[in-house]
Amino acid sequence: MSDQPSDPSERTRRRRVRPQWVFPIVLGLVGALVGIAGYVWVADPNDSGSQATTTATSQPTPTTRADAVSVAVYKKIQPSLVFIETRTTGDDGALGSGVVINEQGQILTAMHVVRNATAIKVTFADGTESAAQVVSADPEHDIAVLQTETGPQVIVPAVLGGGVRIGDEAFPVGSPFGFVNSITAGVVSGLNRSIGRQDGSGELDGLIQFDAAVNPGSSGGPLVDRNGQVVGIVTALANPTDRNVFIGIGFAVPIATASGAAGGPER
Amino acid sequence: MSDQPSDPSERTRRRRVRPQWVFPIVLGLVGALVGIAGYVWVADPNDSGSQATTTATSQPTPTTRADAVSVAVYKKIQPSLVFIETRTTGDDGALGSGVVINEQGQILTAMHVVRNATAIKVTFADGTESAAQVVSADPEHDIAVLQTETGPQVIVPAVLGGGVRIGDEAFPVGSPFGFVNSITAGVVSGLNRSIGRQDGSGELDGLIQFDAAVNPGSSGGPLVDRNGQVVGIVTALANPTDRNVFIGIGFAVPIATASGAAGGPER
Amino acid sequence: MSDQPSDPSERTRRRRVRPQWVFPIVLGLVGALVGIAGYVWVADPNDSGSQATTTATSQPTPTTRADAVSVAVYKKIQPSLVFIETRTTGDDGALGSGVVINEQGQILTAMHVVRNATAIKVTFADGTESAAQVVSADPEHDIAVLQTETGPQVIVPAVLGGGVRIGDEAFPVGSPFGFVNSITAGVVSGLNRSIGRQDGSGELDGLIQFDAAVNPGSSGGPLVDRNGQVVGIVTALANPTDRNVFIGIGFAVPIATASGAAGGPER
């Protein structure tokens, strides 16, 4: 075995440099990206209905196939989605996502979405807007819980799911680049993944790796399973270039970890 | 609410800068990309059959699972696909995609594929090639209709579908980078999206957002639903970097809008 | 037809420049990427089990929907997966993937994963590590066969499948950026594709094009169909920028071609 590439432990040590290429996926509103946020304010967060122009049909079109799972998934999670905007000192703030998790209207999101925020604004799926405060935080797992001043007309907490298996369908829902409440589809690529933190302070461990598209602004949104239950909170993407965009590898904090961070047995 | 990040209307105004990062996805044949088009001419547009080397099997392999929806989707749309090449003054032209929409063999595509074209060449799915002219255009919605001089041996118009819902399966079919008649699979991520036009002249509105891969050369191709019906015409992708490649966010003009642009009740 | 963009044969000749943008997807361990490999050694290659934290459920959650195909696909292929690390003269070596194909424990991988390797280390799915040698190579098709000194406790050869059709589901499994044994999901986008070789020596022909995410480190891994059978060996991705990351277009050598390269009727 002396011709092995090297001694593992040695290589491990040598290689445990902080990976520069794993990004938290909050969308910062500075510099060249300012233009992007224009969509945020013009888009209707409650656009889950069918579009206006739906009747063009050139001939009878019996729908013979069952709906995609993702239609039901979106319908189930949609009322619980929130879009988050923050203001921070010294720049324009950030955009992220979140999900309502209890009858008090508390919102689970990623800690890095609200880090250093001097003001947090939440838009519920029904269009209701409210200021919000961080009531609980678990920086170790990049999780925060928000409480809003005003709730939506009807609070619809998401159903929290259990664990996932490799290969399970996975649907992140959030607001990449301010395209509010976007759903994407993929599968769980791996479990128990570790990635370095952006700030260099150690690692995020125990993550779900998935291949559904997430991008800046997706952070904090729910990762939903095929039953419409929240199995994780979206936290990061991997990209070895200096560009913080999706290339097929996203990460979420498992819901058990995230909801534990939220504290309290009632969850 | 004075601690809200800002007054929405003000921020809206401030942020409504034209997003530089939404690209029409025609493939321009200039500069470093010239080499790419080599594939265009060597690839067989009629390659929908099974490959030559299909019999390697190490043991009996009963196919116990039903086919993927996308197999039937591709079979249904394939005869209606067209590959578009243009020549323009001053550069090498462009590559794009399109779909046959009526018995006259007229082709629906994206306006920006044929913009400034001095000559348009269409290759039908059966390999038939023909010159084509723009007979109708709706620049407002980035839609054009082409008429060819020669049709394919058998004209097979695509079936135009109705509206889509968020979460519906979505299959764009086109020729990214000249990989002729490629199908990719994803879901509808959002509806009624607005993006800035590349030329700065306002916005494209009412778009379907999807997460199936599209790239330069995909423009003008059909977005197909799980029943094999055309529900949109592919028009753009979002990428905040200066690179015009897919990162998980594509856009299509809804078919009702596109076919309205084609004009005429007969469609 | 004199107004056609050009004479095809002439354009073909002119355009058949080597595309710089198709990358073999081995992960080289040099320069800025050194840090990435840290994951390799800390991740448990045998992490296919459920994660530790799987019981958080806020209410009864009957699973009413059938499992995703990809769960069964992963379970079936997982015991046959291998993770490959090499050492080469003058740099830190490379990372790739492979799959066990017979009772002798021989491993099918991409030739470019082991090119110029002075030492090859293989980690089986059960965690067993062994040195390996190249026993057969087909550079023409970018295929190599490895024999290890030590096998896993139980050798589980993958079942090799037959051909694929456009639209068929396709699941590449490998170790992108050292995220060991990741599965991603997509469909076959096209068949019989040709791409230029990185070293300029002609083309790779007859390839399967797919839209499931692959990245550096995925090379040599199996492309698996919905029955869990190996239908190809992952070899490259297309990206017109100078960044070797996934944008929606991956390529695999069909298994018939690859297993022919492995030699021997017994396969």
Side-chain angles (χ1 to χ4, degrees), chain B residues 36 39 41 56 66 70 87 131 183, chain C residues 4-5 15 21 161 167 189 194 226:
Chain B
I36 296 169
Y39 298 141
W41 299 97
S70 37
R87 183 157 287 267
I183 186 170
Chain C
Q4 285 303 316
R15 288 182 180 167
W21 52 281
S189 296
S194 297
R226 64 190 283 120

Side-chain angles (χ1 to χ4, degrees), chain C residues 1-175:
Chain C
M1 294 281 257
S2 60
D3 64 341
Q4 285 303 316
S6 79
D7 172 65
S9 59
E10 186 176 77
R11 288 183 77 174
T12 301
R13 221 174 310 121
R14 181 163 55 83
R15 288 182 180 167
R16 300 274 309 235
V17 182
R18 178 172 72 87
Q20 305 271 355
W21 52 281
V22 178
F23 299 89
I25 46 181
V26 64
L27 177 62
L29 297 181
V30 288
L33 289 178
V34 168
I36 297 169
Y39 298 142
V40 173
W41 298 97
V42 297
D44 175 8
N46 195 10
D47 60 357
S48 63
S50 57
Q51 58 192 124
T53 53
T54 56
T55 55
T57 310
S58 64
Q59 53 180 259
T61 56
T63 298
T64 55
R65 288 179 179 279
D67 285 349
V69 166
S70 37
V71 172
V73 165
Y74 188 80
K75 272 188 192 151
K76 189 162 177 189
I77 195 68
Q78 192 268 344
S80 310
L81 298 173
V82 301
F83 174 53
I84 300 172
E85 297 162 276
T86 74
R87 184 155 287 266
T88 53
T89 306
D91 61 36
D92 269 2
L95 303 182
S97 307
V99 61
V100 176
I101 54 161
N102 59 29
E103 297 292 344
Q104 293 81 51
Q106 290 187 322
I107 292 159
L108 204 54
T109 186
M111 180 66 200
H112 74 268
V113 170
V114 293
R115 187 172 291 139
N116 302 327
T118 53
I120 302 170
K121 178 178 143 188
V122 163
T123 305
F124 291 96
D126 68 357
T128 304
E129 300 182 355
S130 174
Q133 279 77 39
V134 176
V135 292
S136 171
D138 179 4
E140 171 76 16
H141 299 106
D142 190 27
I143 293 295
V145 179
L146 310 182
Q147 176 72 60
T148 55
E149 296 175 358
T150 312
Q153 297 234 313
V154 181
I155 293 178
V156 184
V159 177
L160 305 191
V164 290
R165 295 160 303 176
I166 297 177
D168 271 336
E169 283 162 320
F171 306 93
V173 194
S175 301

Side-chain angles (χ1 to χ4, degrees), chain A residues 140-231:
Chain A
E140 172 76 16
H141 298 106
D142 190 29
I143 292 294
V145 179
L146 311 182
Q147 178 71 61
T148 56
E149 296 175 359
T150 312
Q153 297 235 315
V154 181
I155 293 177
V156 184
V159 178
L160 305 190
V164 291
R165 294 161 303 176
I166 298 177
D168 270 336
E169 281 160 323
F171 305 92
V173 194
S175 301
F177 303 120
F179 290 108
V180 176
N181 294 356
S182 299
I183 187 171
T184 55
V187 300
V188 173
S189 296
L191 294 174
N192 205 27
R193 301 303 198 192
S194 296
I195 60 174
R197 292 167 184 278
Q198 190 78 350
D199 61 5
S201 64
E203 292 191 337
L204 275 176
D205 295 318
L207 301 180
I208 299 167
Q209 176 195 340
F210 57 87
D211 71 348
V214 285
N215 275 295
S218 297
S219 264
L223 184 72
V224 185
D225 71 7
R226 64 190 283 120
N227 297 308
Q229 302 181 355
V230 180
V231 293

